[in-house]
Amino acid sequence: VKAIPGVIQRHPKARFLLAGEILKEYYTEIQQFVQASNLEKHVIFTGFVKDYADLPKYYSLADVYVLVSRAEGNLPKTILEAMSCGKAVVASDIPQNWEGAKRGDEMLFVDPYDIDGISGAINKLLDDPELRQRLGQNARRTVMEYHTPEVIAHGMLRVYEEVVADKVKKAVR
């Protein structure tokens, strides 16, 4: 949210859709920042999205998807969702997010503590529609090649088959 003013300076018509539930203490802090920075007309809070089927509608509204969390347990599902919708992604340069970039040409990584770097990456994508489209297309292709439920299930099956084959070999010896 602190990167928004750096984007608005360059792209005054930009709007930021903050979709999903935000913890109360963060929501209050974000609201105060938005108001203090006169960003009310640039920031829209959706609140919790109740119907999972509505998510593609939200992603379709975006030119760029941004997730600059400082830590994640695993690759965030929302990054994969945005990628599957063909959106250019700006993500934290953390190991969990690298998992989404199997090919290396799907998203821009930023230091989550570097406000200027975050706004710079967003501006770069807003300035260059061809880059934005190329990253979005590459992101969708990567999701289809590496992250669909079928691909993941096939990979798990292969691991199970290897474990079973190894146990059979040991039992025969």
Side-chain angles (χ1 to χ4, degrees):
V1 174
K2 291 179 181 176
I4 292 174
V7 176
I8 298 302
Q9 286 176 344
R10 194 141 148 193
H11 299 277
K13 293 183 181 180
R15 299 292 177 267
F16 292 81
L17 182 66
L18 301 179
E21 190 171 16
I22 301 171
L23 294 176
K24 184 174 175 144
E25 58 270 17
Y26 293 127
Y27 181 77
T28 301
E29 184 179 336
I30 292 169
Q31 277 287 89
Q32 290 171 349
F33 179 82
V34 167
Q35 290 170 353
S37 302
N38 296 317
L39 297 172
E40 292 94 335
K41 69 180 185 179
H42 297 281
V43 178
I44 302 160
F45 295 91
T46 68
F48 180 72
V49 178
K50 294 177 184 155
D51 189 349
Y52 191 77
D54 288 338
L55 290 176
K57 296 174 193 172
Y58 286 98
Y59 289 114
S60 71
L61 294 170
D63 291 320
V64 177
Y65 175 78
V66 181
L67 181 66
V68 288
S69 55
R70 295 177 178 164
E72 292 289 341
N74 296 303
L75 172 62
K77 182 171 60 169
T78 59
I79 286 180
L80 293 176
E81 291 168 348
M83 290 172 68
S84 72
C85 290
K87 297 302 168 180
V89 173
V90 174
S92 305
D93 191 6
I94 58 175
Q96 296 84 344
N97 293 344
W98 301 341
E99 183 67 24
K102 295 286 191 180
R103 298 157 22 97
D105 60 358
E106 304 89 346
M107 63 182 83
L108 299 181
F109 289 108
V110 295
D111 178 343
Y113 296 95
D114 180 3
I115 302 305
D116 292 335
I118 296 166
S119 60
I122 297 168
N123 282 329
K124 179 177 183 172
L125 291 172
L126 293 177
D127 290 342
D128 190 343
E130 289 177 14
L131 173 63
R132 193 170 63 237
Q133 182 179 11
R134 187 172 64 248
L135 287 179
Q137 288 171 345
N138 293 343
R140 178 154 174 75
R141 185 171 54 238
T142 294
V143 167
M144 299 311 290
E145 289 176 16
Y146 297 100
H147 298 289
T148 64
E150 294 81 11
V151 170
I152 293 169
H154 181 71
M156 291 176 69
L157 180 60
R158 199 170 50 245
V159 169
Y160 287 134
E161 288 171 345
E162 289 173 10
V163 168
V164 169
D166 187 51
K167 290 210 179 263
V168 169
K169 284 180 189 175
K170 287 181 181 175
V172 171
R173 287 186 211 165

